[in-house]
Amino acid sequence: MSVFIHPTAEVSKQAKIGDGTKVWNLAQVREDCVIGENCILSKNVYIDTKAVLGDRVKVQNNVNVYHGVEVEDDVFLGPSMTFTNDFYPRAFNQDWEITKTYVKKGASIGANATIVCGNTIGEYAMVAAGSVVTKDVPPYTLVAGNPAKKIGKVCKCGRRIEGKNCLHCGFEIPD
């Protein structure tokens, strides 16, 4: 296997990119970022310096992953979703601070969602399209709205569930 880089993508030689990853048209991958194996970076994706993506991460069109964001394995980042990384943004601020954001294994973030920095999206959690996440999302939790609020639980397979057991795949959500 090897890394595929579309001819129109701009990829720094200082980026660390895992085997089997595909970087599609008009993507920009900055220096000192880490991208795992078998990832897909779709059209017009921006991966900032020092951002971290685990293995098998699928990043849809027009997504920005900024410095301070760490994404674990098997995460889905929907079209045009974005992260922030500064609580006090000012164009003239010379001493701004990066505030870390974490997306845990298997989580999914819907199209056009915004993840405000300083939050953690738990394992296999799901953020609905258009949501604005302003606080941590627990594992296996479905959130929606602005600000995002818990509206249910989701299984590892991605389906909404009642109780602890998924009627579709039989998975039991851990305590």
Side-chain angles (χ1 to χ4, degrees):
M1 263 192 197
S2 61
V3 174
F4 169 81
I5 299 174
H6 190 275
T8 63
E10 183 181 329
V11 179
S12 170
K13 292 188 185 316
Q14 287 78 42
K16 295 177 184 78
I17 303 176
D19 204 30
T21 289
K22 294 179 178 160
V23 181
W24 288 100
N25 35 325
L26 304 173
Q28 182 181 8
V29 178
R30 298 279 311 275
E31 65 281 354
D32 301 322
C33 69
V34 177
I35 299 170
E37 295 183 356
N38 299 307
C39 293
I40 298 172
L41 306 184
S42 299
K43 182 180 179 183
N44 202 39
V45 164
Y46 175 74
I47 308 296
D48 200 4
T49 183
K50 300 180 183 171
V52 177
L53 300 181
D55 296 335
R56 299 169 305 280
V57 174
K58 189 170 188 177
V59 185
Q60 295 289 285
N61 295 353
N62 305 310
V63 171
N64 302 304
V65 182
Y66 293 115
H67 181 182
V69 175
E70 293 186 19
V71 175
E72 292 185 357
D73 299 344
D74 302 312
V75 167
F76 176 86
L77 302 177
S80 302
M81 68 77 49
T82 197
F83 295 94
T84 68
N85 67 353
D86 184 359
F87 272 127
Y88 311 102
R90 293 284 191 223
F92 54 83
N93 190 351
Q94 298 300 312
D95 62 345
W96 65 286
E97 296 178 30
I98 298 291
T99 301
K100 295 240 182 200
T101 299
Y102 301 95
V103 182
K104 299 297 187 174
K105 180 178 177 63
S108 293
I109 301 174
N112 294 304
T114 299
I115 310 301
V116 176
C117 58
N119 293 298
T120 298
I121 310 300
E123 293 85 357
Y124 302 100
M126 189 172 289
V127 176
S131 297
V132 178
V133 173
T134 60
K135 60 184 179 181
D136 291 348
V137 177
Y140 301 97
T141 299
L142 173 62
V143 298
N146 181 6
K149 291 183 177 20
K150 178 182 174 179
I151 62 168
K153 293 296 239 178
V154 289
C155 177
K156 189 174 181 180
C157 74
R159 287 175 172 77
R160 193 169 179 171
I161 65 172
E162 299 296 327
K164 290 186 59 129
N165 293 336
C166 179
L167 297 176
H168 176 76
C169 72
F171 181 79
E172 182 177 336
I173 294 178
D175 288 326

